[in-house]
């Protein structure tokens, strides 16, 4: 239990540090371009302590869920003092404002990349090809019946009883053999081989690759009762286990750079896919709140992610802990760039709308249109805030009453 609590706290702390660095990204780029940063605080609520250095006040607040960077004149509607007016953010060039507003997401991307790189050179990156995809035998065993899930799990690691049928071993199949065909039917994956074996019985020819040799071995395949989620069925079974690739791959310092870039690209693609599927998975979250089975592919909140992180530490699966932390940074970074107010992506969209609009007006011989009036967008912004708040409330509730667990 103590390990679980430590894991939850560590993961929550990791998220807090990520958000603090997100805001630091805004602050540092704004200062680099000469914009005035009034305040940089970690957390929300009452102030724990603060100090002033130069023109900026730094501090910590009691609720460590986020933070903020107060840049003078982020929009033309923001009030600024006369001495701040020349350095108001909205007066700067479009590309500079874009860099400042995207710096938070870029910081998340850098953090995610660094976490993955450190994983690559220490504990290894998750092996995306792990699993019994190739029909290569790792070991041979016995063919014995199972009539329940508990029995199937118990027999997975139990030794074969005296006199049990060992079809694969009796026919001469050995660990390392690659099955090419079953009963004349070619198989390319372990699942295809398993399907072919379960559908057959009696003397069956197995075409096997063993080193440089190609062999044809006759296996007497018995029909055995086997439990599956769909019920107990009579299936063919030879008593063989697949060779599974290592769940992680470790790299040297140089090779890890390319491997991390490749893995990061895969994670970006998965993040984009999850964002597209996000709305259609919300009903499943509601179902889970009211007692339905929690789909492991449904969205999770910071609470749910911290709980999974705690379980990972409790079980000693640090690869999952850091992988989840990197994934969350990528997700937050991409999500924050969506062209929706009040996200940074929404502000970037407004800035570039102004730029394109003024370019078109200039081509027509007209003067620039001036800054966008954000008050006209307040209705849309409020609606998005309410929707976002509702989704957050749903996911937090589901993560409390019906959380996703490791191995689910």
């Amino acid at each position: 239990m103590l390990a679980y609590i430590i894991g939850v706290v560590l993961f929550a702390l990791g998220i807090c540090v990520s958000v603090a660095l997100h805001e630091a990204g805004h602050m540092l780029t704004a200062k680099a371009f000469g914009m005035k940063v009034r305040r940089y605080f970690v957390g929300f609520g009452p102030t724990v302590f603060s100090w002033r250095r130069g023109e900026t006040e730094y501090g910590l607040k009691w609720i460590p869920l986020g933070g903020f960077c107060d840049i003078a004149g982020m929009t033309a509607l923001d009030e600024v003092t006369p001495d701040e007016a020349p350095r108001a953010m909205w007066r700067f060039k479009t590309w500079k404002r874009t860099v400042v507003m995207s710096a938070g997401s870029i910081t998340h991307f850098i953090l995610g990349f660094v976490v993955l790189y450190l994983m690559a050179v220490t504990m290894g990156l998750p092996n995306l090809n792990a699993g019994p995809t190739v029909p290569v035998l790792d070991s041979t065993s016995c063919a014995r019946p199972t009539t329940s899930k508990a029995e199937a799990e118990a027999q997975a690691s139990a030794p074969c009883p005296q006199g049990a049928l060992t079809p694969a071993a009796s026919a001469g199949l050995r660990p390392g053999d690659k099955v090419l065909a079953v009963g004349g039917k070619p198989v390319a994956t372990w699942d295809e081989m398993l399907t072919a074996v379960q559908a057959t019985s009696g003397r069956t020819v197995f075409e096997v690759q063993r080193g440089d040799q190609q062999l044809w071995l006759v296996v007497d395949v018995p029909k055995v009762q086997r439990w599956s989620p769909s019920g107990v069925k009579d299936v063919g079974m030879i008593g063989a286990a697949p060779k599974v690739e290592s769940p992680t791959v470790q790299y040297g310092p140089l090779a890890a750079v390319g491997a991390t870039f490749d893995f990061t690209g895969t994670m970006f693609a998965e993040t984009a896919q999850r964002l597209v599927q996000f709305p259609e998975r919300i009903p499943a979250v509601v179902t889970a709140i009211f007692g339905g089975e929690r789909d492991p592919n449904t969205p999770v909140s910071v609470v749910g992610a911290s709980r999974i992180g705690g379980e990972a530490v409790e079980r000693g699966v640090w690869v999952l802990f850091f992988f989840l932390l990197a994934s969350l940074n990528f997700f937050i970074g991409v999500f924050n760039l969506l062209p929706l107010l009040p996200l940074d992506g929404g502000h970037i969209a407004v800035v570039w709308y102004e730029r394109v609009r003024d370019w078109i007006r200039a081509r027509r011989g007209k003067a620039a249109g001036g800054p966008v009036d954000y008050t006209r967008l307040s209705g849309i912004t409020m609606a998005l805030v309410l929707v976002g708040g509702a989704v957050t409330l749903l996911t937090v509730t589901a993560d409390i009453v019906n959380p996703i667990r490791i191995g689910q």
Side-chain angles (χ1 to χ4, degrees):
M1 185 63 181
L2 179 60
Y4 172 78
I5 294 174
I6 292 173
V8 171
V9 172
L10 284 177
F11 197 87
L13 181 62
I15 295 173
C16 291
V17 170
S18 296
V19 174
L21 292 175
H22 169 113
E23 297 300 329
H26 291 313
M27 177 187 68
L28 293 174
T29 49
K31 283 179 172 289
F33 289 133
M35 302 174 190
K36 180 176 180 180
V37 179
R38 297 165 176 156
R39 295 182 297 164
Y40 170 76
F41 274 76
V42 176
F44 293 103
T47 300
V48 179
F49 61 84
S50 68
W51 72 95
R52 180 171 292 279
R53 183 176 179 180
E55 61 186 9
T56 305
E57 181 185 8
Y58 303 85
L60 176 69
K61 291 184 176 288
W62 277 109
I63 305 174
L65 298 176
F68 62 91
C69 174
D70 180 13
I71 304 173
M74 186 172 178
T75 74
L77 297 179
D78 295 344
E79 292 186 6
V80 293
T81 60
D83 65 302
E84 292 175 337
R87 300 169 60 197
M89 182 176 176
W90 68 270
R91 292 182 179 276
F92 284 73
K93 292 183 177 180
T94 300
W95 73 269
K96 291 183 178 181
R97 295 161 67 188
T98 301
V99 169
V100 172
M101 288 184 285
S102 62
S105 288
I106 293 172
T107 301
H108 283 297
F109 300 150
I110 294 173
L111 284 173
F113 183 88
V114 169
V115 170
L116 291 179
Y117 176 81
L118 293 176
M119 288 176 63
V121 297
T122 55
M123 60 189 68
L125 290 174
N127 185 1
L128 300 179
N129 298 318
T133 55
V134 180
V136 177
L137 274 65
D138 181 64
S139 62
T140 57
S141 182
C142 50
R144 51 189 171 186
T146 56
T147 57
S148 67
K149 181 180 181 181
E151 190 177 12
E153 291 175 347
Q155 289 188 4
S157 58
C160 291
Q162 187 70 25
L165 293 173
T166 55
S170 299
L173 282 164
R174 301 175 187 174
D177 286 350
K178 180 178 181 180
V179 179
L180 303 177
V182 177
K185 180 181 179 180
V187 292
T189 66
W190 183 268
D191 287 341
E192 288 182 5
M193 191 201 84
L194 187 63
T195 300
V197 169
Q198 290 180 342
T200 191
S201 64
R203 295 173 63 82
T204 306
V205 177
F206 279 63
E207 185 179 348
V208 174
Q209 184 76 36
R210 181 181 297 166
D212 296 331
Q213 293 181 299
Q214 192 164 339
L215 307 174
W216 286 265
L217 302 175
V218 179
V219 182
D220 192 3
V221 183
K223 281 288 187 181
V224 178
Q225 277 194 326
R226 296 293 293 179
W227 176 88
S228 71
S230 59
V232 178
K233 299 178 181 179
D234 288 331
V235 298
M237 186 177 182
I238 63 172
K243 183 177 181 180
V244 180
E245 296 289 334
S246 172
T248 59
V249 180
Q250 193 171 344
Y251 300 88
L254 293 178
V257 176
T260 303
F261 271 114
D262 289 341
F263 198 85
T264 299
T266 300
M267 291 190 68
F268 269 118
E270 292 182 354
T271 298
Q273 183 179 7
R274 287 182 176 274
L275 281 173
V276 171
Q277 296 172 345
F278 191 92
E280 65 188 50
R281 288 178 174 171
I282 295 301
V285 176
V286 178
T287 301
I289 292 174
F290 293 98
E293 184 177 354
R294 183 72 185 269
D295 183 348
N297 292 318
T298 51
V300 296
S301 65
V302 172
V303 174
S306 298
R307 293 186 68 157
I308 296 173
E311 285 190 37
V313 171
E314 187 176 37
R315 299 188 185 191
V317 190
W318 286 96
V319 169
L320 176 59
F321 179 91
F322 289 110
F323 174 73
L324 187 62
L325 190 61
S327 299
L328 195 61
N329 270 286
F330 287 131
F331 182 84
I332 294 173
V334 173
F335 182 81
N336 196 55
L337 288 178
L338 292 178
L340 304 170
L341 289 171
L343 302 176
D344 289 335
H347 290 286
I348 293 172
V350 170
V351 167
W352 279 97
Y353 163 77
E354 293 175 346
R355 181 72 179 85
V356 173
R357 177 206 61 192
D358 291 346
W359 179 82
I360 294 174
R361 290 177 66 89
R363 300 280 290 183
R364 295 177 176 177
K366 297 181 179 180
V372 165
D373 185 355
Y374 275 77
T375 58
R376 295 183 178 181
L377 303 174
S378 59
I380 297 175
T381 302
M382 184 57 65
L384 292 173
V385 168
L386 291 175
V387 170
V391 170
T392 301
L393 181 61
L394 284 174
T395 53
V396 169
T397 303
D399 290 333
I400 292 174
V401 304
N402 193 356
I404 294 174
R405 301 188 182 280
I406 295 178
Q408 186 171 348

